[in-house]
Amino acid sequence: KINLLLSQQQKLITDSSTATGVSAETVSQYYSQLASVPKALTANVVGISGTTEKTGMLTAAIRVATGSGRSFSDVVDDMRTAFRNYNITGEDALKFTTRISEISNRFGIELTEVRETLRTTSNEFKIFGNEAEGAANIYNSYLGALQSTGISGSAAIDVVKGMVDGIKNLGIAQ
């Protein structure tokens, strides 16, 4: 049974290395990092390359890190946060980290600021379930509108943070 598991692990590493062009040694290190996220190594992502084809999470996470210019460790850390704080697994956990990069690129705001803010916002509303996507939608909706008034991305994110804090502090009577 151990030989079978080792064989499957090696196939996954080899397949991911071939699909991404990253050395097998590096993919092996990535495999170890991704293994720290529950259910990640068994998850598949559908349509990552614009098709309905299923891609293993290891390959998909490598592609997201490479395509977004982020470190693989950061991508895995976001996925771990998504699982731990919002009970998000698999493809949805990868979407969580992808939204961080997307908002940063779209609005020209530093990645670390977007990452911290999106995590905080998602955390504030986690009692309502998976609000990671809802938090990303809030930022996508308001940041562009605020920036169109001439304020910077950093100032826009501060305004949205203030709005979210106001919503968070509303009581039932309000």
Side-chain angles (χ1 to χ4, degrees):
K1 189 160 185 164
I2 288 179
N3 286 337
L4 177 61
L5 289 175
L6 289 173
S7 173
Q8 289 172 340
Q9 176 187 9
Q10 190 57 49
K11 181 176 178 357
L12 180 60
I13 290 169
T14 301
D15 290 351
S16 291
S17 176
T18 302
T20 61
V22 175
S23 74
E25 181 180 336
T26 300
V27 172
S28 181
Q29 293 169 1
Y30 291 167
Y31 178 95
S32 296
Q33 290 177 41
L34 194 58
S36 69
V37 180
K39 302 179 183 178
L41 290 174
T42 58
N44 288 306
V45 176
V46 178
I48 192 158
S49 57
T51 67
T52 57
E53 179 182 315
K54 288 184 181 181
T55 302
M57 184 59 70
L58 181 60
T59 299
I62 292 169
R63 287 180 176 164
V64 165
T66 303
S68 66
R70 298 179 64 197
S71 74
F72 189 80
S73 295
D74 282 350
V75 170
V76 170
D77 187 49
D78 289 340
M79 290 176 68
R80 192 179 304 109
T81 297
F83 176 79
R84 182 180 54 243
N85 292 353
Y86 321 122
N87 198 29
I88 304 172
T89 60
E91 186 172 358
D92 288 336
L94 190 61
K95 282 181 185 175
F96 174 72
T97 191
T98 302
R99 294 292 178 252
I100 294 169
S101 300
E102 175 186 292
I103 292 169
S104 174
N105 289 331
R106 178 177 292 152
F107 300 108
I109 303 169
E110 287 190 40
L111 185 71
T112 54
E113 190 171 10
V114 172
R115 185 180 194 207
E116 176 188 320
T117 303
L118 191 58
R119 282 179 166 195
T120 300
T121 302
S122 299
N123 216 28
E124 297 296 340
F125 297 103
K126 72 181 179 183
I127 62 167
F128 300 109
N130 173 11
E131 288 306 317
E133 194 66 26
N137 288 338
I138 289 170
Y139 286 93
N140 271 317
S141 296
Y142 290 100
L143 289 177
L146 289 166
Q147 282 182 321
S148 71
T149 68
I151 66 174
S152 71
S154 184
I157 213 164
D158 286 341
V159 169
V160 177
K161 276 196 257 186
M163 181 184 74
V164 168
D165 283 343
I167 293 168
K168 171 188 80 168
N169 293 322
L170 288 175
I172 292 175
Q174 297 166 320

